[in-house]
Amino acid sequence: MSADELTLLLGQGRRHEHSGRLGTAPLIAPIAGLVLAIVLGVSYGFATAYNPLHGIFTLALAVLCGLGVAFGTSWTCLWAHCRAPAFLVTVTFLVALGTLYCIAATFVLAVLQREGNLAADDSLLGFVLNPARIWHELVAINGRGWQLRASKATGLAAWAQWFAETLIILTVATFFARDTTNQRVFCERCGQWARLHETLRVLTPPETPEDRARLESGDLSPLATLSIAEADTTPTLRLDAWVCGKCSETTALAVFEVKATKTRHGRTKTAASQLGGPVDIPRALYTQLGGRGHTV
């Protein structure tokens, strides 16, 4: 195939666009989200109330909680064949809010229990069903502070910590969930997610920022001018193929920038980041780049 023919095929690539269909997510996501919010919220609430270390350790717990929300809701929506990125982000945000509410209820219960101020008929369910009391107790607890070893959070410091943890959980959850579907390919004909099937080529990176920007926008034309990368080249562009496991109709190309660095122990560490999203390509281009077929 000539260079002009290859350029023509590359120019036919189009950014993969999802249909926006929700699949079974409207039925499954609320149930799974509720369970996820309860599990993460109760665990985080008790961990925070009995945590002897504040500051960085608490913020690290908030990051982990946000990641738990993001991956839990993302996996649920992918399993339910949701192809609506906006729906996924909305669900993730709502689950994060639910998690924060469970955190507050559990934290209040744990602190009152530790202080010996918990009534005999108090329960976690009772607090969850009484948001006014949760707020009243939180104001009181933050006013007097809670003592854990040599660390004490009180007043503005306590509210600042709550604000920081809330912001981290909401931000991390929505940030990591927003590209879950955008970075994947769905075959509408077969009703399933395509798979990253194989690496087709490893090329040298584009020489100009303009070519890189074109690749990030879904324009594959700059690939025609790039050469095969040598073994020790870094960074490189790795071309991976998304292929449907049932048919030969859905084929897409994902362009990854791969950087290799040496650790202090002399080992090679690689990191890959996708440039833009997957691009639907003609079957002829997939074959020309060395694709071995759709069977996975």
Side-chain angles (χ1 to χ4, degrees):
M1 179 179 290
S2 67
D4 290 340
E5 291 174 324
L6 178 60
T7 302
L8 180 61
L9 286 176
L10 288 170
Q12 294 177 17
R14 295 291 181 270
R15 177 67 64 82
H16 182 77
E17 297 290 344
H18 288 295
S19 65
R21 296 175 181 174
L22 301 178
T24 57
L27 298 176
I28 298 175
I31 299 174
L34 178 62
V35 173
L36 183 64
I38 293 173
V39 171
L40 290 177
V42 171
S43 301
Y44 187 96
F46 277 114
T48 303
Y50 288 97
N51 172 26
L53 302 172
H54 290 292
I56 298 299
F57 183 80
T58 301
L59 298 182
L61 282 179
V63 172
L64 291 176
C65 183
L67 290 174
V69 173
F71 291 122
T73 54
S74 296
W75 183 89
T76 299
C77 287
L78 288 176
W79 184 75
H81 290 173
C82 173
R83 289 94 77 194
F87 178 84
L88 172 57
V89 172
T90 301
V91 168
T92 301
F93 184 78
L94 293 177
V95 172
L97 288 178
T99 301
L100 288 168
Y101 184 76
C102 290
I103 289 173
T106 306
F107 176 81
V108 167
L109 176 71
V111 171
L112 293 180
Q113 185 179 49
R114 193 183 65 246
E115 294 176 343
N117 296 325
L118 196 64
D121 59 344
D122 280 336
S123 65
L124 180 58
L125 180 60
F127 277 104
V128 169
L129 297 178
N130 193 344
R133 187 182 176 191
I134 293 176
W135 175 251
H136 173 77
E137 296 292 354
L138 271 180
V139 172
I141 290 172
N142 287 340
R144 64 178 180 269
W146 62 94
Q147 185 73 39
L148 288 173
R149 294 186 183 179
S151 177
K152 187 174 184 178
T154 182
L156 290 177
W159 286 113
Q161 179 173 310
W162 271 103
F163 177 78
E165 292 175 46
T166 299
L167 185 63
I168 288 174
I169 291 173
L170 290 175
T171 302
V172 170
T174 53
F175 177 81
F176 282 94
R178 63 189 177 94
D179 285 334
T180 299
T181 53
N182 289 333
Q183 300 290 354
R184 287 171 170 77
V185 174
F186 192 87
C187 178
E188 294 292 340
R189 176 181 179 181
C190 300
Q192 68 174 22
W193 293 102
R195 304 179 186 178
L196 272 176
H197 182 36
E198 58 188 317
T199 296
L200 301 178
R201 290 188 183 181
V202 179
L203 306 175
T204 56
E207 296 182 355
T208 65
E210 291 76 15
D211 283 344
R212 179 186 175 88
R214 290 171 65 187
L215 289 173
E216 291 176 341
S217 68
D219 182 2
L220 300 178
S221 300
L223 296 179
T225 63
L226 305 181
S227 58
I228 301 296
E230 301 291 337
D232 57 347
T233 302
T234 186
T236 58
L237 290 187
R238 191 184 73 215
L239 309 185
D240 289 355
W242 286 97
V243 181
C244 176
K246 289 185 178 180
C247 70
S248 59
E249 184 173 291
T250 300
T251 309
L253 194 68
V255 181
F256 289 90
E257 183 178 48
V258 182
K259 296 182 180 180
T261 57
K262 289 287 186 180
T263 66
R264 60 179 180 177
H265 302 293
R267 298 177 180 176
T268 300
K269 182 180 180 181
T270 60
S273 58
Q274 189 168 341
L275 299 183
V279 178
D280 293 324
I281 60 174
R283 190 68 180 182
L285 176 58
Y286 169 70
T287 304
Q288 178 63 26
L289 292 175
R292 296 191 298 268
H294 71 278
T295 303
V296 294

